[in-house]
Amino acid sequence: MLDEVKNCVDAKINFFEDYFSVPDDLKSEMDMFIKDTQALGEKCSSASEFEQQFSTSELLNRFNTLVSKCTPKAKKMTKEEKKQSVKIAKDILYENRAEIAKDTLKDTANRIINDKRDDMLTKNRERMIEEGTYADYTIRRNKINSIRDFLEKIFNKKK
């Protein structure tokens, strides 16, 4: 196998060893994947040919299936990786700053409206209790809800 092809084959195989824990029940499937990937590498005369055939064969599907079944390994980030991660996060936040600000304002406004509505409902309930009309209101509301539920059952059965 050519060195450039071997590098590609090793990258596919070592990907699992470096980044995932392979469950015991997948060991045989993983061994078959490794064997088939190496066999494809033996047939190819260049790295680009290997990558082309790998991506158009069932090996790519098997690779993706194995990745989804394996457990990712925890990895401690280096200082450079942390800096890059922070930079990416800042870039994302900066690019989306208008949308984030708009969403924050919208959430704040909704929270204020909901708090005011809840206060009004509480005050109305307290007022109705003091006036002695809360029991009448509750009885009427329950009747209306019962009628609504009954009608919904009738019309939903016809559908």
Side-chain angles (χ1 to χ4, degrees):
M1 183 182 317
L2 295 174
D3 285 342
E4 67 179 56
V5 175
K6 182 163 178 35
N7 288 338
C8 294
V9 170
D10 290 344
K12 304 283 190 232
I13 295 168
N14 293 337
F15 178 78
F16 289 97
E17 293 173 13
D18 294 342
Y19 299 105
F20 292 93
S21 298
V22 179
D24 291 335
D25 60 329
L26 289 179
K27 294 288 186 191
S28 63
E29 190 176 342
M30 180 61 72
D31 291 339
M32 286 300 297
F33 171 76
I34 291 170
K35 180 182 160 193
D36 293 344
T37 303
Q38 289 172 336
L40 177 63
E42 292 291 339
K43 296 177 188 175
C44 295
S45 60
S46 70
S48 61
E49 180 186 356
F50 171 78
E51 291 297 340
Q52 172 67 30
Q53 288 189 19
F54 183 87
S55 64
T56 58
S57 69
E58 90 285 345
L59 286 173
L60 180 62
N61 290 335
R62 289 170 56 193
F63 178 86
N64 291 333
T65 300
L66 286 168
V67 167
S68 68
K69 293 179 180 178
C70 294
T71 307
K73 289 180 181 177
K75 182 180 180 290
K76 186 143 176 99
M77 292 174 71
T78 64
K79 287 183 181 181
E80 293 80 23
E81 290 172 330
K82 287 180 185 178
K83 284 181 184 177
Q84 181 67 17
S85 178
V86 168
K87 182 184 180 307
I88 291 170
K90 285 181 179 178
D91 289 345
I92 290 170
L93 290 173
Y94 182 76
E95 289 173 6
N96 297 318
R97 67 188 181 278
E99 186 177 326
I100 292 169
K102 186 169 65 172
D103 289 345
T104 302
L105 287 173
K106 189 176 180 181
D107 289 344
T108 302
N110 286 339
R111 178 65 185 245
I112 291 169
I113 290 168
N114 288 339
D115 288 347
K116 289 292 184 186
R117 187 190 67 226
D118 291 346
D119 288 344
M120 286 175 41
L121 288 172
T122 301
K123 288 177 183 175
N124 281 340
R125 183 176 291 119
E126 290 171 356
R127 182 184 51 79
M128 291 170 77
I129 290 170
E130 287 175 8
E131 294 174 355
T133 58
Y134 189 72
D136 296 334
Y137 164 78
T138 304
I139 292 168
R140 284 190 185 115
R141 186 188 67 213
N142 289 343
K143 285 181 182 177
I144 291 170
N145 288 341
S146 296
I147 293 169
R148 185 193 70 222
D149 293 344
F150 176 73
L151 292 174
E152 283 178 357
K153 286 180 183 177
I154 289 174
F155 288 115
N156 285 337
K157 284 184 180 178
K158 288 183 180 179
K159 291 180 182 177

